[in-house]
Amino acid sequence: MTDPTSPALRAEALEQLLTERGLVRTDVIDGFVARYESDVGPLNGARVVARAWVDPEYKARLLADATPAVKEVAWGGGANGEHIVVVENTPVLHHVVVCTLCSCYPWPVLGLPPSWYKDPAYRARVVREPRAVLAEMGLELPPEVAIEVHDSSAEVRWLVLPERPAGTDDLTEEELAALVTRDAMVGVAKVAAP
Amino acid sequence: MARVSDLGGAPGHGPVPAPDPAEPVFGERWEGRAFALTAFTIGRLSGRNLEAFRDTLDRLTPAEYHDSGYFGRWLHAAQAMLVASAVLAPGAVDARARRLAGETVEEPPDPAEPAKPDYSPTAPGSLREVEAAPEYAVGDRVRARKGARLPGYARGRVGTVARVQPAHVLPDTHAVFAGENPQHVYTVRFSARELWGDGDDVVVTLELFETYLERA
């Protein structure tokens, strides 16, 4: 780690310069990092999805006005979550989310975006050839399924409500939430049956 | 010239990296530090705002933008905003990084005093109330003209208003501290055929500000 242009050294340099000037504190940085490593993550979105699967009235509220509905079951609001819109995947319509200009993503419900979401290949290609990109990522959609790609170009943050897998009628809301993946809530995967 | 951040539809990109369900939030320690330092830089240290951050990202060189990934570009942008606000001297981060690498380097003196933009938000976040009624309604046909947050691939293209969203501060002026100028924002649906000339049964939606649009 002796390349002075490496991001690791530049990050350390910046942290030193700001702490020496009393502008940030190391323990505050530690706490901020830990919060996004453990508290803010896709479990929040999974709880929202599971509730929508078991409670039709909740689902109706969620699809009509997601921002307050999300707050009923999970922490919402704040950075990258001021206005959340939920769209429902069905057997004939598939939604998938991207931000081609940066990597806007609904942090309160999904945490920070994964590598593939931030990758220039995903940002460049999913608006141009979504069917091919989804197939590469392991989701083969039949040709009769229409696709809507949501390019998050302002402060609206999109969350996909995936289809509930068959054979899950006996599961509790908590068990259902454990099935829901981050990738399904961005729209690049389906939720698999247990 | 195309903006460095405007990647939608750009040719020449290979496969998307395979998703890894076990991927850590921060792959390396420095990424978490860069994330926090940048968040604090945007939030209070530089006096700059979220749109100024996005605008700064857009002004990075392609190497700065791409070489160290997402948090690498955040770090470059944080540094640029702190220098622009005269919190740090130009070259200060580089000099310190070189000292950390074992080089003998003189560090530049601090700027005499910070020169942060004179701006206080009228409300938290980016959403605002706008008194005027929205110009467009669901179902209206609109053409995307131009705007800071209009991806190049949709410029000049015609779509249909699908949703009227809450009004936002306008990135075009807010990024450069020329006013929040909140506007109505619309989710506009474009057919893939309109955007690319092919692709049946594919729709792309964008959130576009009122002045980005004209009636079609």
Side-chain angles (χ1 to χ4, degrees):
Chain A
M1 203 175 82
T2 51
D3 173 10
T5 64
S6 79
L9 274 193
R10 286 191 292 107
E12 190 178 342
L14 183 60
E15 182 169 341
Q16 284 188 3
L17 293 170
L18 295 176
T19 49
E20 284 167 12
R21 284 155 182 76
L23 296 172
V24 297
R25 289 198 345 232
T26 299
D27 61 323
V28 175
I29 298 173
D30 293 344
F32 193 80
V33 170
R35 174 170 161 70
Y36 278 90
E37 280 180 324
S38 48
D39 297 344
V40 183
L43 186 57
N44 290 330
R47 289 197 186 107
V48 170
V49 168
R51 175 69 56 87
W53 283 347
V54 300
D55 181 345
E57 287 176 16
Y58 178 76
K59 179 176 155 184
R61 288 201 296 285
L62 185 69
L63 293 174
D65 188 4
T67 315
V70 163
K71 288 176 186 164
E72 292 179 39
V73 290
W75 179 76
N80 276 295
E82 282 186 86
H83 188 72
I84 296 173
V85 176
V86 174
V87 281
E88 182 183 19
N89 278 349
T90 73
V92 294
L93 177 60
H94 185 87
H95 297 274
V96 57
V97 180
V98 65
C99 169
T100 64
L101 292 176
C102 28
S103 296
C104 296
Y105 190 76
W107 292 6
V109 279
L110 294 185
L112 298 185
S115 294
W116 60 261
Y117 186 86
K118 299 177 287 192
D119 195 273
Y122 182 75
R123 290 167 51 191
R125 293 181 55 215
V126 79
V127 286
R128 178 69 186 88
E129 41 176 355
R131 219 174 280 275
V133 169
L134 293 175
E136 274 175 30
M137 296 178 82
L139 179 59
E140 296 266 5
L141 292 175
E144 65 272 19
V145 176
I147 299 177
E148 273 193 32
V149 184
H150 301 281
D151 186 355
S152 316
S153 54
E155 297 305 324
V156 174
R157 295 291 171 268
W158 297 87
L159 182 75
V160 175
L161 174 59
E163 292 170 81
R164 180 172 176 168
T168 56
D169 290 355
D170 296 336
L171 297 190
T172 65
E173 187 177 329
E174 200 175 323
E175 289 167 334
L176 287 169
L179 300 179
V180 181
T181 62
R182 169 196 72 201
D183 295 349
M185 292 183 280
V186 188
V188 299
K190 291 194 178 214
V191 176
Chain B
M1 201 181 95
R3 291 174 291 163
V4 67
S5 63
D6 190 3
L7 290 178
H13 288 275
V16 175
D20 171 10
E23 179 185 327
V25 174
F26 302 111
E28 295 182 44
R29 183 181 181 278
W30 72 264
E31 295 184 316
R33 310 312 279 183
F35 170 66
L37 291 166
T38 308
F40 296 156
T41 294
I42 302 166
R44 57 191 172 86
L45 299 180
S46 72
R48 287 172 193 267
N49 60 48
L50 178 62
E51 297 304 341
F53 171 59
R54 290 187 179 131
D55 186 55
T56 305
L57 285 171
D58 216 14
R59 293 170 191 280
L60 298 179
T61 65
E64 290 168 335
Y65 194 87
H66 289 291
D67 285 355
S68 304
Y70 180 71
F71 291 114
R73 72 183 68 117
W74 277 42
L75 203 49
H76 280 295
Q79 183 182 330
M81 291 195 295
L82 290 165
V83 169
S85 295
V87 175
L88 295 179
V93 174
D94 183 63
R96 179 61 61 92
R98 288 180 184 280
R99 287 170 71 103
L100 288 169
E103 295 180 29
T104 307
V105 182
E106 189 96 351
E107 297 197 0
D110 274 348
E113 59 182 290
K116 298 183 191 179
D118 181 16
Y119 163 68
S120 306
T122 62
S126 302
L127 305 186
R128 299 287 185 270
E129 298 286 331
V130 168
E131 278 186 25
E135 172 72 18
Y136 303 108
V138 170
D140 284 356
R141 301 275 291 162
V142 289
R143 183 184 308 275
R145 297 167 56 249
K146 62 177 180 176
R149 294 284 295 176
L150 172 64
Y153 70 81
R155 194 166 175 171
R157 304 298 174 183
V158 173
T160 306
V161 173
R163 296 172 188 247
V164 180
Q165 302 287 8
H168 299 21
V169 299
L170 181 69
D172 307 59
T173 54
H174 190 49
V176 293
F177 300 92
E180 291 188 346
N181 295 321
Q183 284 193 3
H184 294 292
V185 172
Y186 305 87
T187 295
V188 181
R189 293 166 58 94
F190 298 90
S191 72
R193 190 158 288 282
E194 168 73 8
L195 294 174
W196 317 110
D198 60 31
D200 288 327
D201 294 328
V202 173
V203 160
V204 177
T205 76
L206 282 165
E207 274 72 57
L208 299 176
F209 291 79
E210 194 158 277
T211 51
Y212 291 12
L213 301 172
E214 65 187 10
R215 217 167 272 283

